[in-house]
Amino acid sequence: MSQHYPEDLKLLVADICAIGSQLHPGTEDDLESLLTWLNPNETNSNHQLRPPALRLKNTIKVFANQPFNSSFSNDGNFEGINGLEKELLILLRQYYIFQVRLNFFFRFDNITTFKDIQRLETYYEFPLKHVFLFQRNAEEWIVERNDLRHYLLNKNNKFKVQLRQRLRTLIMDDDFDLACDVILFLNEAQGALYSRDILLDLMLIKISHFCEKHMENIYGHHFLVMETFNSFILKYWSYFARLLGCPEDDHGLTTIIYNCFEKQFIKIRIKEVFDVFINEYPESKPTILEMKKVLHHTDDFKQLVMQFLSAFEAKILNPSVTTVDALLAYVKSIKSFLLLDPTGKYLNSVVLFVKAYFQERHELVVILLYAILDLQSEEIFQHINLPIDMKRLKILAEELRDPDFNIESKHRAGGHFEKGTESFFNESSSGKAGSDTQLLYQGVLEKFLTWTPEPTDSIPRPFNQSHRNLLDVLTNMFESKEFFVSEFLKLLRKKLLTLKYYKLNRNWSKCLKLMKEKLKNEGSRMPNHESNANEESANSNNMAVMLRDTKNSEDLCKRMHQITDLDPRIFPKFISFLYWDRKLDYKNDTTIDFKLTEVLSHELEKYRNVYKELQPGRTLQLCKDQGVVELELSTRDGYTQKYDVTLEQATAIQLFDGGESNERIFLSLGEVSIQMEIGEERAQRVLQFWIGKSVLYKNHQDLYGSCEGREQEVRAQHQSPHKTSSYSQDSLLSHEQDEQDTKEFSNKIWPFIEGMLRNLGSLKVEKIHALLKVTLPKDLGYDMITHNDLESYLSMFVDDEKLAVLSNKSYKLIN
Amino acid sequence: MKVTIKEVHSVFAWSWLISNHAKENGESKNDVDDEEDVCGICRASFNATCPGCTYPGDECPLVVGDCNHSFHVHCIYRWLDTTSSKGLCPMCRQPFQLKRGLAINDSHIKKFQDLHLRRTQGQAQEALAEGDEEALGRVADQQSHGNGIIDEQGDVIMEQGLVVR
Ligand SMILES: [Zn+2]
Ligand SMILES: [Zn+2]
Ligand SMILES: [Zn+2]
């Protein structure tokens, strides 16, 4: 074996042997076996981690340990050791270090784990427990050992990586005792890994894990950063302080750690911003307030806004979200942003981003007005043909009424009320006892109407303190206040024209008064904006006339009902058409005019004549596209149903009136078209309305007739979507042409339905219908499609095995 | 199936019946066809109000002159109340008087009589002060024309021979 040793070592061994025989002649063999026993490279014949045998023990005593033992008895003085003994010890030490190095480098590449080096060090240190080579120079061995560690860390990358990983695992697993060993090792090695750096890194990771666990999805705490920090400190700080070798009251460090918690909090909340601001609002208010305390850097804000916008775009600004829901989400966002940043600076970028999108949704203003006016279960939506989820709308209305946002009480908002309106408000509040003194819209309209639009060419200015509220932001969605007001007027017009009798409910009438008042004031107050002022005064004027017309109609109606000849079932309204955004002359307009039934025409004509007598110089024209007819259909099987319909629809169904004999009448499309003097297309649309109500159906001879007798069948079909196909196909597909059209149309809408179901899972007919209405391109003409039509299309897709019907009657994609 | 109408909440648009008589006389030019429903004074629609009013109809009614020109009553009254009007219809320059026998004019007759009287008296005073015989004569003519309106008996002979420049 010795022949493999380098020359130096050979010389060293020779020197050892020479001194050994000089000191104790005749013990050469013993000395050699000692060297072998010590030698880590003699894996088969060395100590093998077992204590020396007796003979070897004696040899050790003689060559290595004796001088110490004797000297120890001599009050710790080493003077007694003679020169040769000393020399031998030095050589033995050199020998051992030499051999250890040799062994270490031999194994170097195989040392990959902390366990490896620990085992190796134990292996190297074992003989030293029995042979006191470094008793006098303990430092020397430690320096040697640490040099090896140092070298290992710097040169064995695999080991370094492993060690790092090991430490990470230990710290993450809260195994601080073992971690302590690693740290000690690192500290002693003084190598390329600085334990403090690693520890701080690991502590950061630990903190971030800790924060994730204790902060994510927890929104109800006001001091979550402090709470989390405290529990972390309580649980871990003593360990880290020990590992870092710093005092536990190192406030500099704990402050840094606290900042880490703030950073983590910010990071987590930015990631969760959509949930925090929308899904969890208002439960998330405490955390938003905490965010407000912690967020200072523009970069953080920017990141938050970016994150929010991208989530908002993906989750809200897509066609499958209804306008009510989108608006609700937007309202919550506004509140959240204003809570976070009362200056409104960051909200502004959200507003700008969202604005364009919302402006595309034309029903937005109506929905907003509805929510503002708090028009519950009003009938107007039937007439604007919007599928609105009333429950969601109610929630939206409530969300708008949030007292935190100052839009309910104008008194709190500051005394910028005109004297005139003040008394109006007082009146209204004294009129109703109790806390419900203020209707939402009063404050809201106040805000709306004092709102001044941003100059379009300027950069968005921060929200003025006094104007900082929800409604300002909401109005910002519209191009101008005029737009809002004119939309309000449209709504009012619709409301009045479809009003039964002449009375508006309390919400409306009070709202109107206020609106009128404000418009008047605004109009006179804005000399600089002449066009605006004109428009506003025109709006105000129109409103006044519409209301006056309604009132006058009521009076006139009372007088007319005194006249015996007039049918008291008729409640006429007489409108000053110029103020109702109407044209007088529609005689040539084939989309409006049609022939009434003789009886009704006659009765209405009588009113016309009486009016001419009562109002000399004037004449009347019936607005055939306006008004409401309440009619009752009774079938032979005693089934009675009331309907509120348009004149046109009423006229159409009257053609099927079987009279007292309750006959069943069948008419072709052509006949209906001729009798009503309208085009077939229009006739079909009207008939389709009644088919949609399951009142009419089309038989195999292409004749329309009442569904009576088919009642039960039809009603059953009506209740289970997937069975309607036979009935609806009867009405829709009997014609070959129709069939082709249907096929074509179904091909057109299929991609939309498919995409929708792919994104949203299974949906019921109502939902699909509502979504298609808002998502399909206008030119597809989906607005002509009724709920029933859609059902038949869907059942076609079911027949084609594209869709499946679930037990809850919702549809889902097959595959 | 039996269809029973329960109630009809119908909507009627009212409008003034404007006499087209003046136009039939060939006075209207083709290019004013679009403006046939416009008050010649304020240029607002008859079915709207004069600039001073809010509510059309009862509160801002029309009157029809003998010349078959119609105006908002407020507009023509205000016009006739100016000296520059000389009591003439602003459209046809004929002396303006309310057409008889029309229900819409009935309630305004007294007011227009008073106005006419006031104006002619004012002119007469002026002419007297200036000693302008010719002007006085003209006033006398107008006065007699005015009497033609005032005369409840309908002394229409006065209307003949009235020349106004
Ligand atoms: Zn006028
Ligand atoms: Zn007027
Ligand atoms: Zn004239």
Side-chain angles (χ1 to χ4, degrees):
Chain A
M1 184 130 256
S2 55
Q3 64 263 35
H4 297 298
Y5 295 164
E7 281 307 307
D8 299 1
L9 190 61
K10 278 183 188 161
L11 290 173
L12 192 59
V13 172
D15 284 353
I16 290 172
C17 290
I19 297 179
S21 53
Q22 233 179 307
L23 279 173
H24 307 284
T27 57
E28 288 85 357
D29 286 352
D30 287 335
L31 186 57
E32 195 160 326
S33 56
L34 172 61
L35 291 181
T36 306
W37 189 81
L38 281 172
N39 188 353
N41 297 305
E42 297 276 3
T43 42
N44 291 324
S45 45
N46 68 6
H47 53 80
Q48 293 181 340
L49 296 172
R50 282 196 294 272
L54 200 59
R55 175 162 185 162
L56 192 59
K57 232 173 174 169
N58 279 327
T59 313
I60 292 168
K61 204 188 273 172
V62 170
F63 285 101
N65 296 357
Q66 185 112 63
F68 298 103
N69 293 342
S70 59
S71 66
F72 287 143
S73 58
N74 259 350
D75 61 282
N77 195 333
F78 288 92
E79 293 307 309
I81 305 174
N82 72 38
L84 272 182
E85 281 174 332
K86 221 170 166 178
E87 183 78 23
L88 183 64
L89 267 179
I90 289 169
L91 290 175
L92 280 175
R93 281 206 289 272
Q94 282 178 6
Y95 168 81
Y96 191 67
I97 283 171
F98 208 115
Q99 292 291 9
V100 163
R101 283 184 189 170
L102 215 56
N103 186 266
F104 176 79
F105 288 111
F106 176 69
R107 297 172 179 244
F108 186 77
D109 289 332
N110 293 326
I111 305 171
T112 51
T113 66
F114 186 60
K115 258 215 169 71
D116 290 343
I117 188 67
Q118 272 183 313
R119 221 179 279 132
L120 208 54
E121 285 183 0
T122 312
Y123 183 60
Y124 295 152
E125 285 177 347
F126 179 80
L128 302 181
K129 286 183 206 157
H130 300 277
V131 187
F132 303 151
L133 290 179
F134 295 95
Q135 202 72 17
R136 218 186 134 201
N137 294 320
E139 270 310 300
E140 195 182 341
W141 169 248
I142 288 173
V143 166
E144 177 60 26
R145 189 196 66 190
N146 290 351
D147 280 351
L148 294 179
R149 288 179 176 182
H150 181 87
Y151 189 83
L152 183 67
L153 268 180
N154 284 9
K155 300 290 179 184
N156 188 333
N157 199 46
K158 208 165 162 191
F159 173 78
K160 191 170 98 180
V161 171
Q162 285 273 352
L163 187 68
R164 224 191 167 113
Q165 191 53 47
R166 174 80 182 139
L167 187 58
R168 186 191 163 117
T169 310
L170 290 174
I171 288 192
M172 292 312 135
D173 292 350
D174 292 357
D175 195 340
F176 289 98
D177 288 335
L178 282 181
C180 204
D181 290 346
V182 178
I183 293 298
L184 206 60
F185 175 89
L186 284 174
N187 288 345
E188 285 168 352
Q190 296 184 351
L193 281 180
Y194 296 100
S195 68
R196 201 179 164 90
D197 291 355
I198 301 179
L199 265 179
L200 289 176
D201 283 352
L202 289 177
M203 190 162 67
L204 280 188
I205 297 169
K206 188 133 184 107
I207 287 172
S208 93
H209 288 177
F210 194 80
C211 286
E212 275 166 24
K213 198 173 153 206
H214 291 88
M215 289 177 172
E216 278 180 0
N217 295 314
I218 297 166
Y219 305 128
H221 296 227
H222 286 272
F223 304 100
L224 192 59
V225 174
M226 186 52 93
E227 283 169 27
T228 315
F229 169 77
N230 283 343
S231 61
F232 181 84
I233 290 294
L234 202 66
K235 196 165 175 194
Y236 295 119
W237 180 235
S238 61
Y239 297 115
F240 277 107
R242 198 175 91 210
L243 294 178
L244 287 165
C246 67
E248 285 190 30
D249 58 355
D250 185 338
H251 292 305
L253 196 55
T254 49
T255 306
I256 290 171
I257 293 172
Y258 183 79
N259 290 337
C260 292
F261 276 83
E262 283 194 348
K263 278 216 179 75
Q264 285 303 318
F265 177 75
I266 292 169
K267 201 174 125 192
I268 288 171
R269 287 301 182 254
I270 287 178
K271 197 178 72 192
E272 299 174 322
V273 65
F274 186 82
D275 283 338
V276 175
F277 278 20
I278 295 176
N279 290 344
E280 302 293 330
Y281 189 89
E283 280 72 29
S284 58
K285 270 187 191 173
T287 216
I288 296 175
L289 287 170
E290 190 168 15
M291 287 163 77
K292 180 185 172 187
K293 266 190 312 203
V294 172
L295 268 165
H296 300 298
H297 294 292
T298 13
D299 283 350
D300 288 337
F301 272 112
K302 268 185 202 159
Q303 225 195 317
L304 180 135
V305 171
M306 296 287 288
Q307 176 68 33
F308 177 83
L309 289 183
S310 72
F312 195 83
E313 183 175 27
K315 293 179 185 169
I316 301 297
L317 302 186
N318 77 60
S320 67
V321 176
T322 65
T323 303
V324 177
D325 282 342
L327 202 52
L328 191 57
Y330 187 49
V331 168
K332 287 181 172 188
S333 326
I334 294 170
K335 290 182 176 185
S336 298
F337 266 100
L338 285 180
L339 206 57
L340 179 72
D341 165 38
T343 68
K345 190 169 136 200
Y346 296 100
L347 176 58
N348 242 333
S349 35
V350 179
V351 172
L352 287 177
F353 183 84
V354 167
K355 206 170 168 174
Y357 168 81
F358 272 123
Q359 281 178 5
E360 281 171 21
R361 294 205 164 191
H362 303 290
E363 70 277 24
L364 178 76
V365 68
V366 179
I367 290 170
L368 191 59
L369 280 167
Y370 191 104
I372 289 169
L373 290 167
D374 201 12
L375 305 175
Q376 285 147 45
S377 64
E378 287 272 334
E379 70 280 15
I380 48 167
F381 277 104
Q382 293 169 7
H383 299 275
I384 54 176
N385 214 4
L386 275 178
I388 301 282
D389 183 335
M390 286 299 158
K391 268 188 218 142
R392 303 290 292 165
L393 197 64
K394 181 82 191 125
I395 294 171
L396 178 61
E398 276 160 17
E399 201 63 58
L400 287 174
R401 210 171 300 131
D402 190 338
D404 280 3
F405 286 86
N406 221 3
I407 61 172
E408 190 160 32
S409 159
K410 74 342 170 178
H411 292 296
R412 248 191 291 159
H416 54 278
F417 258 69
E418 308 298 314
K419 283 275 184 300
T421 33
E422 193 72 53
S423 65
F424 166 68
F425 277 117
N426 291 342
E427 184 191 355
S428 80
S429 48
S430 60
K432 200 165 184 272
S435 58
D436 178 26
T437 52
Q438 215 74 82
L439 286 169
L440 166 73
Y441 58 78
Q442 293 171 345
V444 166
L445 287 173
E446 173 65 18
K447 291 293 175 190
F448 266 127
L449 298 169
T450 52
W451 167 73
T452 42
E454 272 174 33
T456 42
D457 52 346
S458 73
I459 36 165
R461 64 184 152 79
F463 283 72
N464 182 316
Q465 285 290 319
S466 64
H467 279 230
R468 182 195 65 206
N469 71 59
L470 182 56
L471 266 303
D472 288 335
V473 186
L474 284 172
T475 49
N476 238 329
M477 283 191 294
F478 307 110
E479 301 116 66
S480 66
K481 185 170 68 188
E482 287 73 37
F483 173 71
F484 174 76
V485 172
S486 75
E487 287 300 312
F488 175 81
L489 281 184
K490 261 189 223 164
L491 198 60
L492 174 66
R493 221 156 37 222
K494 261 170 201 152
K495 174 70 188 166
L496 288 174
L497 288 173
T498 55
L499 187 67
K500 285 190 178 180
Y501 318 109
Y502 307 94
K503 290 270 188 280
L504 285 169
N505 70 20
R506 179 165 161 268
N507 284 8
W508 272 98
S509 51
K510 284 196 170 175
C511 170
L512 282 166
K513 263 189 189 169
L514 180 73
M515 193 77 130
K516 223 163 82 185
E517 194 79 29
K518 290 309 296 181
L519 281 172
K520 230 185 264 167
N521 292 339
E522 291 281 315
S524 57
R525 208 190 293 151
M526 291 175 65
N528 296 344
H529 301 69
E530 218 167 276
S531 61
N532 285 353
N534 285 343
E535 202 173 316
E536 275 178 33
S537 69
N539 280 335
S540 153
N541 201 23
N542 288 352
M543 194 149 78
V545 173
M546 288 194 284
L547 295 173
R548 174 68 71 99
D549 281 350
T550 309
K551 178 79 186 87
N552 286 347
S553 302
E554 183 179 19
D555 297 343
L556 215 48
C557 175
K558 268 184 201 152
R559 284 168 66 189
M560 288 170 150
H561 281 184
Q562 306 291 314
I563 301 168
T564 41
D565 193 31
L566 292 180
D567 190 331
R569 291 175 302 171
I570 295 174
F571 295 85
K573 287 192 194 73
F574 308 103
I575 63 168
S576 309
F577 68 96
L578 288 173
Y579 299 79
W580 293 73
D581 195 30
R582 291 189 57 84
K583 284 205 178 81
L584 188 59
D585 198 15
Y586 63 82
K587 282 287 176 204
N588 298 322
D589 189 339
T590 53
T591 62
I592 294 177
D593 204 14
F594 63 92
K595 188 165 175 279
L596 289 164
T597 56
E598 290 298 336
V599 181
L600 191 54
S601 174
H602 182 65
E603 291 304 322
L604 292 170
E605 187 62 23
K606 280 196 283 189
Y607 269 87
R608 218 167 82 93
N609 292 331
V610 170
Y611 181 89
K612 283 192 207 169
E613 275 172 41
L614 293 174
Q615 302 281 359
R618 295 199 230 175
T619 187
L620 280 187
Q621 200 174 74
L622 179 66
C623 302
K624 290 185 180 169
D625 56 337
Q626 295 299 339
V628 191
V629 180
E630 186 183 315
L631 46 78
E632 194 178 78
L633 304 180
S634 36
T635 55
R636 281 190 287 192
D637 44 7
Y639 182 64
T640 306
Q641 178 80 46
K642 275 191 180 172
Y643 294 93
D644 282 349
V645 295
T646 64
L647 262 184
E648 190 185 37
Q649 288 156 353
T651 305
I653 203 65
Q654 277 184 292
L655 300 179
F656 296 88
D657 183 6
E660 289 309 319
S661 58
N662 222 337
E663 226 177 303
R664 223 175 147 187
I665 290 173
F666 285 94
L667 295 170
S668 71
L669 182 62
E671 284 168 321
V672 172
S673 153
I674 288 165
Q675 291 201 42
M676 288 181 72
E677 295 180 5
I678 55 175
E680 291 204 356
E681 203 180 309
R682 200 172 142 201
Q684 188 162 22
R685 208 171 344 156
V686 184
L687 292 169
Q688 194 61 50
F689 168 82
W690 287 112
I691 289 174
K693 296 271 180 221
S694 300
V695 171
L696 294 183
Y697 81 109
K698 188 162 135 185
N699 71 11
H700 292 289
Q701 288 97 49
D702 275 353
L703 296 176
Y704 293 87
S706 82
C707 292
E708 50 196 328
R710 293 170 54 101
E711 279 295 309
Q712 275 174 330
E713 184 191 344
V714 168
R715 246 177 285 158
Q717 282 161 353
H718 208 59
Q719 278 156 10
S720 51
H722 55 284
K723 277 193 218 147
T724 51
S725 57
S726 64
Y727 159 65
S728 294
Q729 277 175 1
D730 183 14
S731 63
L732 278 166
L733 310 178
S734 49
H735 254 295
E736 263 187 20
Q737 182 58 42
D738 277 1
E739 205 159 335
Q740 210 178 343
D741 290 350
T742 308
K743 195 83 210 147
E744 231 169 75
F745 190 77
S746 73
N747 285 341
K748 280 185 200 160
I749 61 171
W750 169 249
F752 293 93
I753 295 174
E754 189 191 20
M756 193 187 298
L757 293 176
R758 182 140 290 143
N759 290 331
L760 303 171
S762 63
L763 291 174
K764 294 197 178 185
V765 187
E766 294 77 17
K767 185 85 179 169
I768 297 176
H769 191 47
L771 290 175
L772 287 176
K773 269 191 179 177
V774 292
T775 53
L776 285 185
K778 284 275 174 287
D779 54 300
L780 273 186
Y782 188 77
D783 46 342
M784 297 284 294
I785 298 298
T786 65
H787 181 276
N788 276 21
D789 294 344
L790 178 64
E791 274 190 355
S792 60
Y793 282 118
L794 291 175
S795 53
M796 276 175 57
F797 296 138
V798 172
D799 292 344
D800 292 351
E801 294 188 344
K802 286 171 167 172
L803 294 182
V805 190
L806 303 180
S807 57
N808 65 354
K809 284 167 200 154
S810 54
Y811 291 84
K812 96 179 223 297
L813 285 178
I814 290 177
N815 75 59
Chain B
M1 181 173 64
K2 195 170 165 234
V3 180
T4 316
I5 302 280
K6 291 298 203 183
E7 279 172 4
V8 180
H9 300 270
S10 58
V11 177
F12 293 94
W14 67 263
S15 58
W16 291 104
L17 277 166
I18 309 297
S19 149
N20 284 327
H21 207 205
K23 276 140 205 169
E24 284 158 18
N25 287 347
E27 281 182 32
S28 83
K29 292 158 199 152
N30 286 337
D31 60 347
V32 287
D33 270 1
D34 289 346
E35 299 176 13
E36 58 184 46
D37 288 342
V38 170
C39 166
I41 297 171
C42 70
R43 317 301 298 170
S45 167
F46 290 126
N47 295 312
T49 64
C50 76
C53 286
T54 302
Y55 302 107
D58 291 340
E59 294 192 17
C60 190
L62 302 191
V63 289
V64 185
D66 245 354
C67 57
N68 278 326
H69 284 121
S70 300
F71 302 98
H72 293 118
V73 67
H74 302 135
C75 293
I76 189 65
Y77 186 88
R78 233 175 278 139
W79 163 250
L80 294 174
D81 201 16
T82 61
T83 45
S84 57
S85 75
K86 301 193 168 79
L88 307 181
C89 167
M91 304 299 283
C92 62
R93 316 299 293 173
Q94 294 176 45
F96 187 88
Q97 49 180 324
L98 296 184
K99 192 170 184 164
R100 312 295 295 272
L102 282 182
I104 54 168
N105 284 349
D106 283 350
S107 58
H108 307 294
I109 286 174
K110 178 80 175 79
K111 213 168 60 174
F112 277 73
Q113 281 171 354
D114 292 349
L115 174 66
H116 183 81
L117 200 63
R118 203 164 66 239
R119 201 189 57 235
T120 45
Q121 279 171 355
Q123 282 175 347
Q125 270 173 0
E126 220 171 281
L128 272 176
E130 290 170 17
D132 186 339
E133 288 295 324
E134 199 192 333
L136 202 57
R138 233 175 18 238
V139 173
D141 281 352
Q142 281 188 23
Q143 182 59 23
S144 55
H145 161 65
N147 284 340
I149 302 171
I150 294 162
D151 186 3
E152 295 293 323
Q153 268 80 47
D155 187 359
V156 263
I157 305 156
M158 295 298 288
E159 289 183 16
Q160 293 170 347
L162 282 179
V163 183
V164 179
R165 277 163 290 266

